[in-house]
Amino acid sequence: MKVGNLKPLGSILHDGWERIYDYTVAGSAITSLTISGLNGDVDEEYILESKVVNGYNGSIEVQVRPNNDTTATAYGFQVVQGASSTGSARRYTSKAQLDFLNANALSDVAAGEMKIFAKSGFVRTTLLEKTGSISGTTVTAVGLLGHSWNNTADNITSLVIGASQTGGIGVGSQFTLWKKSRRVV
Amino acid sequence: MRTGNLEGFVDRTWQVVHDSGELAAAVMSYTISGLSGDTDVKYRLISRVVNGYNGPVAYNALINNDSGNNYGYQYVTCGNAAVAANRGTLTAILNAAGYCSALNGITFNDFILNAKSGSTRTGIVKFAYDISGTTVGNVQVNGLSWNNSVDNITSLQITGGQVGCIGIGSRFILLKEVHVPSGLRTGELDIRGTLKGAWQEVYRHTVSGSAETSITVSGLKGNTTDQILRARVRTVNGYNGAGRYVLRFNNDTGNNYGNQYLQGIDTTVSAGRIVGNGLVANDDPRALGQVAYIENLLYLKSGFVRTGIHGRACWISGTTVGSRALVGDVWTNTVDEVTSLVFAGTTNNFGIGTEICIERLNL
């Protein structure tokens, strides 16, 4: 069946990826946002894409917390990255969030794509590719991360995305969440 | 609204907006026009380039034909055991379609571009290059910027700067994030067949009951419907000890596969190259219950060596992620149609809770 453009107002059942959240910060900078109404045990996988414009006059981290779990030791990650002429790696095992993006100065830009295996039963895992802090033609770093959220039990019903400084998520920042829209569950 | 096979742009999906097909003649550059970055917001360019020039070529991209020194990059790369990184500025998007050092070498590339104006445009490209036979020469990831926050993106031009450098068999597939401001409205859209240009799941398997040692995905048509596949795997080690699994095509068990990996383990960055009887798909899990999460992007059509890129996080237990890697893959068979993928372990590698999901790109 050939059609022109389709604009479904309901779900798109096709065993493929459906954009379920799309937000661009306008007007004034924000500090956090919440994507709610999720069902990680049904959706199983999410992809979170973002481009952040730093709204704070200093450095920020943008962090993601499933179900707003702020437990200080619930998360860990391994990163391999490049910054200037140095390739490096680090591991953290006692974090209070999924580290997502970072930017060093006001108006610097950072962007990334995080794939999240959301289904409960085992630790929740991510694959993240990110770049930042970008100002003009200066790209400070590129990194590949894998995370673990050490919660095997709870269904993921929300993602809370927050900046480490007030107003860190500046005007023009974009957040998009995709879910696997499966016809047979 | 229920449909069978559907062809048309559907809001809130990712779909192919341009497919060059495998080029029948070598060219110096390749342009994709008629774009609207402010409408589409993001693009993804999946490309496989065969070097048609007898020398090194960087396959960069011009946005809107801007050839000024308006682009920035930061990369980390590896070749064999050597790791390097660098930052700089350029007159194009660096390696948007990869790099090749020699004639007939292959580069396989996955480039995401944040296209909407209002701030500096950013991108990330992952690519495996200098692929020949069972050798994957290098794997690399670049963070990218275009220092233009104003103009709507209307074109991408891949350029290598040498006559015939984009060789026969090269291919460029551009996907866009579909935003439909107006169109035929439906309620729930239930697509019972294929959605042209979109990723769709064609196989999913969850291990239950007891651990499995090998999992076969059959019925594939690598030369027609399954030319580009994406495999996402979350494994749970079902063996009390070390256990690597490999990915094989058509259950070829010969030493016809190669990997080049870049990885981080704790504070150590390392790299290496492997030739063996399968694509090494996970770092050997060390203990029962360890988790790994892996995503493969595969180009399966015959005519050239089959290529792939995968990212993986492995040795996961509690809050410890033991390793994170980026890997380039090759299967040196150029002839046979891919009809199966075999996830081949040693003993009970795929424990209860392992999930394998295969998606095809409907071209």
Side-chain angles (χ1 to χ4, degrees), chain A residues 47-77:
Chain A
I47 299 177
L48 176 65
E49 299 170 340
S50 179
K51 175 180 168 181
V52 168
V53 181
N54 188 359
Y56 174 74
N57 190 10
S59 65
I60 61 154
E61 291 181 357
V62 178
Q63 304 157 344
V64 179
R65 294 183 176 90
N67 299 350
N68 201 29
D69 181 0
T70 58
T71 306
T73 56
Y75 305 85
F77 70 86

Short mmCIF file of all heavy atoms in Angstrom, two decimals, chain A residues 47-77:
data_model
loop_
_atom_site.label_atom_id
_atom_site.label_comp_id
_atom_site.label_asym_id
_atom_site.label_seq_id
_atom_site.Cartn_x
_atom_site.Cartn_y
_atom_site.Cartn_z
N ILE A 47 15.93 4.02 23.28
CA ILE A 47 17.07 4.80 22.80
C ILE A 47 16.81 6.25 23.18
O ILE A 47 15.78 6.83 22.81
CB ILE A 47 17.27 4.67 21.28
CG1 ILE A 47 17.54 3.22 20.89
CG2 ILE A 47 18.43 5.56 20.83
CD1 ILE A 47 17.68 3.00 19.39
N LEU A 48 17.73 6.81 23.97
CA LEU A 48 17.64 8.21 24.38
C LEU A 48 18.68 9.00 23.60
O LEU A 48 19.86 8.72 23.67
CB LEU A 48 17.89 8.35 25.88
CG LEU A 48 17.92 9.78 26.43
CD1 LEU A 48 16.57 10.44 26.29
CD2 LEU A 48 18.37 9.78 27.90
N GLU A 49 18.20 9.96 22.81
CA GLU A 49 19.09 10.84 22.05
C GLU A 49 18.98 12.24 22.60
O GLU A 49 17.89 12.69 22.96
CB GLU A 49 18.67 10.86 20.57
CG GLU A 49 18.73 9.52 19.88
CD GLU A 49 18.08 9.57 18.51
OE1 GLU A 49 17.27 10.47 18.25
OE2 GLU A 49 18.38 8.67 17.69
N SER A 50 20.09 12.94 22.63
CA SER A 50 20.04 14.30 23.15
C SER A 50 21.15 15.15 22.58
O SER A 50 22.24 14.66 22.25
CB SER A 50 20.15 14.30 24.68
OG SER A 50 20.13 15.62 25.18
N LYS A 51 20.84 16.42 22.45
CA LYS A 51 21.84 17.44 22.20
C LYS A 51 21.56 18.52 23.24
O LYS A 51 20.45 19.03 23.31
CB LYS A 51 21.71 18.00 20.79
CG LYS A 51 22.64 19.15 20.49
CD LYS A 51 22.41 19.60 19.05
CE LYS A 51 23.07 20.91 18.74
NZ LYS A 51 22.81 21.34 17.35
N VAL A 52 22.54 18.81 24.07
CA VAL A 52 22.36 19.77 25.16
C VAL A 52 23.20 21.01 24.88
O VAL A 52 24.36 20.91 24.49
CB VAL A 52 22.76 19.14 26.51
CG1 VAL A 52 22.86 20.20 27.60
CG2 VAL A 52 21.75 18.08 26.92
N VAL A 53 22.58 22.15 25.09
CA VAL A 53 23.29 23.44 25.06
C VAL A 53 23.43 23.87 26.51
O VAL A 53 22.42 23.99 27.23
CB VAL A 53 22.50 24.48 24.26
CG1 VAL A 53 23.26 25.80 24.22
CG2 VAL A 53 22.21 23.98 22.85
N ASN A 54 24.64 24.07 26.95
CA ASN A 54 24.88 24.40 28.36
C ASN A 54 24.29 25.77 28.70
O ASN A 54 24.68 26.79 28.11
CB ASN A 54 26.38 24.38 28.66
CG ASN A 54 26.69 24.52 30.14
OD1 ASN A 54 25.79 24.65 30.97
ND2 ASN A 54 27.97 24.47 30.47
N GLY A 55 23.36 25.78 29.66
CA GLY A 55 22.75 27.03 30.08
C GLY A 55 23.36 27.61 31.33
O GLY A 55 22.89 28.63 31.84
N TYR A 56 24.42 26.98 31.81
CA TYR A 56 25.06 27.41 33.06
C TYR A 56 26.43 27.99 32.76
O TYR A 56 27.16 27.49 31.90
CB TYR A 56 25.18 26.21 33.99
CG TYR A 56 25.95 26.48 35.27
CD1 TYR A 56 25.37 27.22 36.30
CD2 TYR A 56 27.23 25.98 35.46
CE1 TYR A 56 26.06 27.46 37.48
CE2 TYR A 56 27.94 26.21 36.62
CZ TYR A 56 27.34 26.96 37.63
OH TYR A 56 28.03 27.19 38.78
N ASN A 57 26.79 28.99 33.49
CA ASN A 57 28.08 29.64 33.26
C ASN A 57 29.19 28.90 34.00
O ASN A 57 29.76 29.38 34.97
CB ASN A 57 28.03 31.10 33.69
CG ASN A 57 29.26 31.88 33.25
OD1 ASN A 57 30.07 31.37 32.45
ND2 ASN A 57 29.42 33.09 33.73
N GLY A 58 29.46 27.69 33.50
CA GLY A 58 30.46 26.82 34.10
C GLY A 58 30.26 25.42 33.57
O GLY A 58 29.54 25.22 32.59
N SER A 59 30.87 24.45 34.20
CA SER A 59 30.76 23.08 33.69
C SER A 59 29.53 22.38 34.27
O SER A 59 29.15 22.62 35.42
CB SER A 59 32.02 22.28 34.02
OG SER A 59 32.15 22.13 35.42
N ILE A 60 28.95 21.52 33.47
CA ILE A 60 27.78 20.74 33.90
C ILE A 60 27.94 19.29 33.48
O ILE A 60 28.65 18.97 32.53
CB ILE A 60 26.46 21.26 33.30
CG1 ILE A 60 26.49 21.19 31.77
CG2 ILE A 60 26.14 22.65 33.81
CD1 ILE A 60 25.13 21.07 31.14
N GLU A 61 27.27 18.45 34.22
CA GLU A 61 27.02 17.08 33.80
C GLU A 61 25.52 16.93 33.63
O GLU A 61 24.74 17.47 34.42
CB GLU A 61 27.51 16.07 34.85
CG GLU A 61 29.01 16.01 35.00
CD GLU A 61 29.42 14.97 36.03
OE1 GLU A 61 28.53 14.35 36.65
OE2 GLU A 61 30.63 14.78 36.22
N VAL A 62 25.13 16.16 32.62
CA VAL A 62 23.72 15.81 32.44
C VAL A 62 23.60 14.33 32.78
O VAL A 62 24.35 13.50 32.25
CB VAL A 62 23.25 16.09 31.01
CG1 VAL A 62 21.80 15.66 30.83
CG2 VAL A 62 23.41 17.57 30.69
N GLN A 63 22.68 14.02 33.68
CA GLN A 63 22.61 12.70 34.28
C GLN A 63 21.21 12.12 34.07
O GLN A 63 20.23 12.85 33.99
CB GLN A 63 22.92 12.80 35.77
CG GLN A 63 24.26 13.47 36.05
CD GLN A 63 24.35 14.09 37.43
OE1 GLN A 63 23.34 14.29 38.11
NE2 GLN A 63 25.58 14.37 37.86
N VAL A 64 21.14 10.81 34.00
CA VAL A 64 19.86 10.12 33.79
C VAL A 64 19.64 9.15 34.94
O VAL A 64 20.58 8.42 35.33
CB VAL A 64 19.88 9.35 32.46
CG1 VAL A 64 18.56 8.60 32.24
CG2 VAL A 64 20.14 10.29 31.29
N ARG A 65 18.44 9.15 35.48
CA ARG A 65 18.10 8.24 36.57
C ARG A 65 16.79 7.52 36.27
O ARG A 65 15.74 8.17 36.19
CB ARG A 65 17.97 8.99 37.88
CG ARG A 65 19.26 9.60 38.39
CD ARG A 65 19.08 10.27 39.74
NE ARG A 65 20.34 10.77 40.27
CZ ARG A 65 20.82 11.98 40.05
NH1 ARG A 65 20.14 12.84 39.31
NH2 ARG A 65 21.98 12.35 40.57
N PRO A 66 16.84 6.21 36.07
CA PRO A 66 15.60 5.46 35.93
C PRO A 66 14.80 5.51 37.23
O PRO A 66 15.37 5.33 38.32
CB PRO A 66 16.08 4.02 35.64
CG PRO A 66 17.50 4.16 35.24
CD PRO A 66 18.03 5.37 35.91
N ASN A 67 13.53 5.79 37.11
CA ASN A 67 12.64 5.87 38.29
C ASN A 67 13.17 6.84 39.34
O ASN A 67 12.89 6.70 40.53
CB ASN A 67 12.43 4.48 38.92
CG ASN A 67 11.78 3.50 37.98
OD1 ASN A 67 11.30 3.87 36.90
ND2 ASN A 67 11.76 2.24 38.37
N ASN A 68 13.98 7.78 38.91
CA ASN A 68 14.59 8.77 39.80
C ASN A 68 15.36 8.12 40.95
O ASN A 68 15.40 8.65 42.06
CB ASN A 68 13.55 9.75 40.35
CG ASN A 68 14.18 11.04 40.81
OD1 ASN A 68 15.23 11.45 40.29
ND2 ASN A 68 13.58 11.69 41.79
N ASP A 69 15.96 6.98 40.67
CA ASP A 69 16.76 6.30 41.70
C ASP A 69 18.01 7.12 41.94
O ASP A 69 18.90 7.20 41.09
CB ASP A 69 17.12 4.90 41.22
CG ASP A 69 17.93 4.13 42.24
OD1 ASP A 69 18.22 4.68 43.33
OD2 ASP A 69 18.30 2.98 41.95
N THR A 70 18.09 7.73 43.12
CA THR A 70 19.24 8.57 43.48
C THR A 70 20.19 7.85 44.43
O THR A 70 21.06 8.48 45.03
CB THR A 70 18.76 9.87 44.12
OG1 THR A 70 17.98 9.55 45.28
CG2 THR A 70 17.92 10.70 43.16
N THR A 71 20.04 6.54 44.56
CA THR A 71 20.92 5.77 45.45
C THR A 71 22.37 5.99 45.06
O THR A 71 22.74 5.82 43.89
CB THR A 71 20.59 4.27 45.37
OG1 THR A 71 19.19 4.09 45.62
CG2 THR A 71 21.41 3.48 46.37
N ALA A 72 23.17 6.34 46.03
CA ALA A 72 24.53 6.79 45.74
C ALA A 72 25.42 5.71 45.14
O ALA A 72 26.43 6.02 44.51
CB ALA A 72 25.18 7.33 47.01
N THR A 73 25.05 4.47 45.30
CA THR A 73 25.93 3.39 44.83
C THR A 73 25.23 2.45 43.87
O THR A 73 25.60 1.28 43.75
CB THR A 73 26.41 2.57 46.05
OG1 THR A 73 25.25 2.10 46.76
CG2 THR A 73 27.27 3.42 46.97
N ALA A 74 24.23 2.93 43.17
CA ALA A 74 23.41 2.05 42.34
C ALA A 74 23.91 1.89 40.92
O ALA A 74 23.40 1.05 40.18
CB ALA A 74 21.98 2.56 42.32
N TYR A 75 24.89 2.69 40.52
CA TYR A 75 25.27 2.72 39.10
C TYR A 75 26.79 2.61 38.97
O TYR A 75 27.56 2.98 39.87
CB TYR A 75 24.85 4.05 38.46
CG TYR A 75 23.39 4.43 38.60
CD1 TYR A 75 22.93 5.07 39.74
CD2 TYR A 75 22.50 4.17 37.57
CE1 TYR A 75 21.60 5.44 39.87
CE2 TYR A 75 21.16 4.56 37.68
CZ TYR A 75 20.73 5.19 38.83
OH TYR A 75 19.41 5.56 38.94
N GLY A 76 27.19 2.11 37.77
CA GLY A 76 28.60 2.11 37.43
C GLY A 76 28.77 2.21 35.93
O GLY A 76 27.81 2.01 35.17
N PHE A 77 29.98 2.55 35.49
CA PHE A 77 30.23 2.55 34.06
C PHE A 77 31.71 2.36 33.75
O PHE A 77 32.58 2.54 34.61
CB PHE A 77 29.68 3.80 33.37
CG PHE A 77 30.41 5.10 33.67
CD1 PHE A 77 31.53 5.48 32.93
CD2 PHE A 77 29.93 5.96 34.64
CE1 PHE A 77 32.17 6.69 33.19
CE2 PHE A 77 30.58 7.17 34.90
CZ PHE A 77 31.69 7.53 34.18
#
